Amino acid sequence: MYARRRRRYFVLMSLCLGLFIGAWGFVRLWSVPLAIAMCLVAAAIPPIAAITANRREPDDRWWDER
C-alpha cells in the first residue's frame, strides 16, 4: 500500500520535472507562450502529488497508528 503511494508521487514529480526541463530546454525555442504554459502546469503538480501521496487507501489501518 505504501509502495503504491510512493510510485504515484514519483510519477507525478517526474512528470513535473520533465515538463520544466522540456519547456525551457526545447519548447522555448519554438514557442515561449507554450513553454510558460507548460511551466504553469508543472507548478501545479507538486501540491497534487503531495495530496496524492498523503491520501489514505481504503485498506489502510488508520485507527491504530502509533
Side-chain angles (χ1 to χ4, degrees), residues 23-57:
W24 295 113
F26 309 109
V27 177
R28 72 174 170 85
L29 301 173
W30 292 283
S31 174
V32 173
L34 181 59
I36 292 170
M38 287 173 67
C39 283
L40 290 174
V41 170
I45 292 175
I48 295 169
I51 291 168
T52 302
N54 290 316
R55 188 178 60 196
R56 295 188 186 224
E57 299 290 329

Side-chain angles (χ1 to χ4, degrees), residues 5 12 32 41 59:
R5 286 191 223 159
L12 285 170
V32 173
V41 170
D59 57 346

Side-chain angles (χ1 to χ4, degrees), residues 1 3 14-15 39 58:
M1 70 190 127
S14 297
L15 176 66
C39 283

